[in-house]
Amino acid sequence: MADPKEPGNGAVELGTPNAAAPTGTMSTRRLRSEDYNDYSSTDVTPEGSPPDGMNGFAHPESYQRFGETNGTTWYQTLIHLLKGNIGTGLLGLPLAVKNAGILLGPLSLLVMGVVAVHCMGILVKCAHHFCNRFQKQFLDYGGAVMYGLEATPSACLRTHAIWGRRIVGLFLIITQLGFCCVYFVFLADNLKQVVSAANGTTNDCSSNRTVVMTPTMDSRLYMLSILPFVVLLTFIQNLKVLSVFSMLANVAMLVSLVVIYQYIVRDIPDPRNLPLAAAWKTYPLFFGTAIFAFEGIGVVLPLENKMKNPRQFPVILYVGMTIVTILYISLSVLGYLRFGADIQASITLNLPNCWLYQAVKLLFSFGIFFTYAVQFYVPAEIIIPPLVARVSERWGWLINLLLRVALVCVTCVLAILIPRLDLVISLVGSISSSALALIFPPLLEIATYYSEGMHPLVIAKDIAISLFGFVGFVVGTYEALVELVAPAATVVNATTVLVQ
């Protein structure tokens, strides 16, 4: 369900050969897409351009394969694509629809899904172009942006092209650590609700049954209680071991989603009292949550290059993202219809306090707990090895562990400072996900093909998408910060409020 999003969202498949570091030692390799053994590229045309130019994906006949024997099948690639795009953001979408309206919300999700897939296609197309031009077997997101800047007519951008890779890497780290902050808040809120209702939990799952909540400690204390266990979990540095935890987490969250769906489709009240469009002031919060959920662009290049037959990837991308979009819209709409104005920051907090649904909360929390280690691996492998390289080998292992403790503590402290799940998701989505999913890809297309000649409508389209992402970045971040500093007088969405 939630694999590392490259974070770079550069996600990597945890079970790939040669991906794991030796047990008990720290891998000094960065978790980057270049670590894959088998790649795909495109044949170079005499002009050095992709066969189809700017019209879309490279032509199927242009692919040249490297290392087919270890490549993934179309089915495996589809599963990995779904896992890389479905995570905790899904559970916050019902509240996002409330912030947009029962009509405007689903329509906006559909539009954002179409735009997100289009941007994924742009990234793949530009990466193919530079693979042709520079005889590269593979380029990751940052590399494509760097070469894109080198292809621009601007001498200043060409001189500082390396900053393209660095900026993308920075946003990937922010995104990934942001996911980890979300996990801390999610775990604390769900565990607090389970503990508060423990004395009154029965087998009666009636939705109109009131459970008396037992006073318990603040959710921030739950975060501190969880911290030592999370630190110990991040000491696991072997990807093969993490892949086992990732599989268990995916199974746990899949089972939980099935149970959640079967509950929300029953006894849906009259939806006529729900607003078709909410106040515009809350729409930026919708944007942040929605783009947080759709920010899976980083898994695209690694998955496409890992395939045995990359000719099938365009179809897999469209089919997979269609499934993701349908899942997002259905759960968000059904969740909002089922719970109305009482919808919480995570739909799990709206489930009845009976043993079945308490088990669902614990099961999903179990999955999120182990997913933390998988998501944490990406920024850890980017940040820690260069710092460890500065000290002697004798102290390397200690510095490695101390840096891991420090990074985990940073995510915990940030979660404590922003203990509202809806605002954490919206902030991460607005700040970093909007840049990776909406702002950078259209600008990359302009940088890549402008000197070769682009249709004015294509340029206008790319500028419009980037401006949309930038406006969402600014307004979404501003509204989330305003809501954090001065929350509304009647906040029913705060994760500290428990639905009885």
Side-chain angles (χ1 to χ4, degrees):
M1 286 291 182
D3 266 16
K5 294 186 179 177
E6 70 147 357
N9 197 312
V12 62
E13 283 314 314
L14 299 180
T16 54
N18 301 330
T23 306
T25 65
M26 184 191 73
S27 170
T28 57
R29 292 186 299 128
R30 291 175 54 180
L31 186 63
R32 291 168 51 188
S33 304
E34 290 92 330
D35 290 339
Y36 285 94
N37 290 332
D38 39 323
Y39 303 90
S40 65
S41 184
T42 50
D43 292 326
V44 181
T45 62
E47 297 77 19
S49 299
D52 282 349
M54 296 179 297
N55 296 327
F57 290 95
H59 190 276
E61 297 304 319
S62 68
Y63 281 99
Q64 178 181 348
R65 291 305 305 153
F66 297 87
E68 289 184 6
T69 55
N70 294 325
T72 56
T73 64
W74 70 268
Y75 175 77
Q76 292 171 323
T77 303
L78 178 61
I79 295 299
H80 295 325
L81 181 65
L82 295 176
K83 287 162 57 181
N85 282 275
I86 300 174
T88 52
L90 172 65
L91 302 179
L93 286 177
L95 176 59
V97 169
K98 178 191 173 182
N99 288 328
I102 191 61
L103 177 62
L104 183 60
L107 291 178
S108 298
L109 279 176
L110 178 61
V111 171
M112 292 184 71
V114 172
V115 174
V117 175
H118 177 66
C119 289
M120 292 177 182
I122 289 176
L123 180 61
V124 173
K125 178 182 61 178
C126 293
H128 285 169
H129 176 85
F130 290 119
C131 284
N132 291 328
R133 184 172 178 179
F134 298 108
Q135 293 291 286
K136 296 282 186 179
Q137 289 183 324
F138 176 67
L139 283 177
D140 62 359
Y141 197 160
V145 171
M146 180 182 69
Y147 283 118
L149 293 178
E150 290 180 350
T152 61
S154 171
C156 179
L157 291 178
R158 292 197 302 269
T159 302
H160 299 89
I162 186 63
W163 281 98
R165 175 186 286 278
R166 293 170 180 171
I167 291 174
V168 169
L170 175 63
F171 277 101
L172 297 181
I173 292 174
I174 293 174
T175 300
Q176 208 65 17
L177 293 181
F179 292 156
C180 293
C181 295
V182 169
Y183 294 163
F184 262 112
V185 182
F186 180 89
L187 289 170
D189 288 338
N190 282 270
L191 290 178
K192 178 181 178 181
Q193 191 178 77
V194 170
V195 172
S196 298
N199 291 336
T201 302
T202 67
N203 293 324
D204 182 7
C205 293
S206 174
S207 59
N208 59 0
R209 177 176 173 271
T210 300
V211 176
V212 177
M213 296 294 186
T214 302
T216 183
M217 59 185 179
D218 187 85
S219 61
R220 285 168 275 206
L221 294 179
Y222 277 94
M223 297 181 201
L224 291 176
S225 301
I226 298 168
L227 178 59
F229 301 99
V230 176
V231 168
L232 292 176
L233 182 66
T234 58
F235 285 170
I236 300 174
Q237 301 168 52
N238 190 318
L239 276 178
K240 289 183 178 179
V241 177
L242 288 179
S243 67
V244 176
F245 292 131
S246 177
M247 180 187 66
L248 293 175
N250 291 329
V251 171
M253 289 187 283
L254 176 62
V255 172
S256 300
L257 280 178
V258 171
V259 178
I260 291 172
Y261 261 101
Q262 66 83 28
Y263 177 77
I264 62 177
V265 296
R266 297 180 288 143
D267 303 324
I268 295 178
D270 188 351
R272 286 178 292 183
N273 61 333
L274 300 178
L276 296 179
W280 286 105
K281 185 175 179 60
T282 60
Y283 189 84
L285 298 178
F286 161 85
F287 173 87
T289 304
I291 198 61
F292 176 93
F294 273 114
E295 202 277 297
I297 191 170
V299 304
V300 171
L301 290 180
L303 292 182
E304 187 263 353
N305 277 271
K306 188 62 181 165
M307 290 190 67
K308 288 181 180 179
N309 185 6
R311 299 174 181 86
Q312 300 173 331
F313 186 75
V315 176
I316 293 173
L317 177 63
Y318 292 130
V319 170
M321 292 308 298
T322 298
I323 295 173
V324 169
T325 303
I326 292 174
L327 180 64
Y328 284 178
I329 294 176
S330 62
L331 184 67
S332 60
V333 172
L334 289 173
Y336 184 36
L337 289 175
R338 179 65 178 82
F339 300 112
D342 294 327
I343 188 66
Q344 299 266 328
S346 169
I347 196 172
T348 55
L349 300 173
N350 285 96
L351 298 177
N353 293 304
C354 65
W355 287 116
L356 173 62
Y357 296 107
Q358 296 292 67
V360 167
K361 298 170 191 176
L362 292 175
L363 195 61
F364 217 104
S365 297
F366 170 85
I368 292 299
F369 174 76
F370 286 113
T371 302
Y372 185 104
V374 178
Q375 300 284 13
F376 179 84
Y377 186 93
V378 178
E381 287 298 291
I382 293 175
I383 296 172
I384 294 177
L387 298 177
V388 171
R390 296 174 179 268
V391 301
S392 64
E393 186 176 350
R394 175 183 178 185
W395 298 102
W397 67 273
L398 179 60
I399 299 300
N400 172 28
L401 297 183
L402 290 177
L403 289 173
R404 289 176 178 274
V405 172
L407 285 176
V408 174
C409 290
V410 167
T411 62
C412 182
V413 170
L414 291 175
I416 290 174
L417 293 176
I418 313 175
R420 282 184 56 183
L421 184 60
D422 55 330
L423 294 186
V424 177
I425 291 177
S426 186
L427 271 175
V428 174
S430 298
I431 292 175
S432 57
S433 299
S434 59
L436 294 172
L438 297 178
I439 299 176
F440 293 161
L443 296 180
L444 173 62
E445 183 176 40
I446 294 176
T448 302
Y449 296 109
Y450 184 79
S451 60
E452 300 179 10
M454 295 180 66
H455 195 284
L457 290 180
V458 176
I459 297 177
K461 177 264 298 179
D462 287 341
I463 293 176
I465 293 176
S466 289
L467 283 178
F468 173 68
F470 182 75
V471 171
F473 167 85
V474 174
V475 180
T477 302
Y478 172 79
E479 288 297 335
L481 292 175
V482 168
E483 182 67 16
L484 177 66
V485 175
T490 56
V491 178
V492 296
N493 301 325
T495 55
T496 54
V497 178
L498 299 179
V499 173
Q500 300 182 358

